[in-house]
Amino acid sequence: MKNNKFIVIEGLEGAGKTNASMCIKNTLNQKNIKNIILVRQPGSTPIAEKIRKLIKNKFDSDELTKETELLLIYAARIQLVKKIIKPALKNGMWVISDRHDLSSLAYQGGGLGIKKKIISQLKNLFLKDFVPDLTVYLDVAPKIGLKRALKRNTLDRIECRSLNFFKKTRKIYLKNISLDKKIIKINANLNIDTVNKNIEKKISNWLQKKNI
Ligand code: Z5A
């Protein structure tokens, strides 16, 4: 029987999702799980990567409406789920995704104020009962996350939003993780070694519970 899983990493910018992806992959490798693919959202197919550019770049002569932003992100997600994630899972691969639909609820719902009902309708229409086996939510204070993101490069269109936007986004993340037993919360304000140790420990426990 296949025991491969779909694992999602969530959190604000600078939470350390890229680092967490590698940490989870290494933890799986240690358990002799080697058939793993890493994807990111929006992105990871040629079309979804084009949409990613539309989402992240600033346009002087035009501005995405919040509804357009939501629909573009969902379009990229559907492309990735149908073309890559579902076929990979069917073929026994493990999939680690940097973000999934909880990001839409947090950013476009919490941050931009689109009604939860609308986002849930999109989810029900296109993802149906396709849900991650596990979500690792990296909880970082918006100020700390943005400071880390700033150190790395110039800020993109979304990263330029106000601190209040990210506070509202985090609030929705926290609300949702309290409702879902398949979400693990990690304190991402701590130093990177401690964060990695905590991720490794929680993933190992989870695998053990699943008899993997
Ligand atoms: N978006 C959306 O709005 N709605 C959706 O449904 C989806 C996405 C799916 C994707 O851009 C954008 O799309 C994102 C949300 C939106 N926009 N924003 N803003 P992205 O992929 O470029 O942005 P991101 O997902 O937020 O990635 P990120 O900024 O690269 O964050 P990260 O992957 O979590 O961080 P990192 O690259 O691992 O770490 C950032 C830096 O911090 C790096 O130098 C690390 O070495 C450092 N770091 C990481 N952890 C630590 C700790 N613990 N201590 C100290 N330093 C650390």
Side-chain angles (χ1 to χ4, degrees), residues 70-103:
L70 172 69
L71 291 172
L72 282 172
I73 287 171
Y74 246 91
R77 176 165 303 132
I78 295 157
Q79 188 73 11
L80 176 64
V81 167
K82 282 204 161 183
K83 292 275 189 172
I84 308 280
I85 299 180
K86 280 190 173 174
L89 291 170
K90 208 171 162 194
N91 284 329
M93 305 285 294
W94 286 64
V95 179
I96 302 175
S97 181
D98 185 335
R99 298 189 180 280
H100 191 51
D101 64 300
L102 186 53
S103 282

Side-chain angles (χ1 to χ4, degrees), residues 13-14 16-18 52 56 77 99 104 108 152 190:
E13 23 292 303
K17 293 181 298 300
T18 312
R52 181 182 175 88
K56 286 175 72 84
R77 176 165 303 132
R99 298 189 180 280
S104 298
Q108 283 66 48
R152 197 189 36 193
L190 305 175

Side-chain angles (χ1 to χ4, degrees), residues 11-208:
L12 295 179
E13 23 292 303
K17 293 181 298 300
T18 312
N19 165 67
S21 300
M22 291 319 295
C23 180
I24 295 172
K25 187 171 184 264
N26 292 339
T27 310
L28 294 176
N29 284 165
Q30 280 161 24
K31 310 277 173 198
N32 222 17
I33 298 165
K34 303 277 164 73
N35 49 340
I36 304 165
I37 61 161
L38 303 180
V39 295
R40 64 177 182 180
Q41 296 191 32
S44 294
T45 84
I47 287 174
E49 284 294 327
K50 286 222 151 104
I51 296 177
R52 181 182 175 88
K53 285 208 177 100
L54 285 175
I55 296 297
K56 286 175 72 84
N57 291 351
K58 296 169 198 155
F59 290 87
D60 290 338
S61 56
D62 200 359
E63 177 55 30
L64 285 180
T65 70
K66 57 186 178 184
E67 292 82 5
T68 312
E69 183 176 301
L70 172 69
L71 291 172
L72 282 172
I73 287 171
Y74 246 91
R77 176 165 303 132
I78 295 157
Q79 188 73 11
L80 176 64
V81 167
K82 282 204 161 183
K83 292 275 189 172
I84 308 280
I85 299 180
K86 280 190 173 174
L89 291 170
K90 208 171 162 194
N91 284 329
M93 305 285 294
W94 286 64
V95 179
I96 302 175
S97 181
D98 185 335
R99 298 189 180 280
H100 191 51
D101 64 300
L102 186 53
S103 282
S104 298
L105 215 51
Y107 281 79
Q108 283 66 48
L112 293 181
I114 297 181
K115 285 200 175 85
K116 185 178 177 184
K117 196 175 140 195
I118 293 174
I119 303 176
S120 300
Q121 277 172 345
L122 277 177
K123 181 181 173 176
N124 293 339
L125 257 178
F126 295 112
L127 297 175
K128 300 188 172 74
D129 58 356
F130 181 68
V131 289
D133 295 294
L134 179 75
T135 297
V136 176
Y137 168 65
L138 302 169
D139 186 47
V140 72
K143 258 191 190 166
I144 296 180
L146 285 172
K147 210 168 147 190
R148 287 181 193 160
L150 245 179
K151 246 196 230 165
R152 197 189 36 193
N153 52 23
T154 53
L155 298 180
D156 66 32
R157 194 181 63 86
I158 294 182
E159 288 166 341
C160 281
R161 286 176 179 159
S162 69
L163 192 62
N164 196 35
F165 169 87
F166 293 102
K167 284 184 180 164
K168 288 191 281 180
T169 302
R170 185 192 194 195
K171 198 171 158 194
I172 295 300
Y173 266 133
L174 291 172
K175 190 173 169 190
N176 276 277
I177 65 158
S178 68
L179 301 173
D180 190 338
K181 289 204 169 66
K182 285 199 211 167
I183 304 182
I184 289 173
K185 182 181 164 195
I186 300 282
N187 182 350
N189 298 302
L190 305 175
N191 70 61
I192 216 156
D193 289 342
T194 311
V195 170
N196 281 344
K197 269 190 203 133
N198 291 341
I199 293 173
E200 199 182 321
K201 200 158 92 191
K202 293 217 174 181
I203 292 289
S204 297
N205 288 345
W206 176 75
L207 289 169
Q208 207 171 23

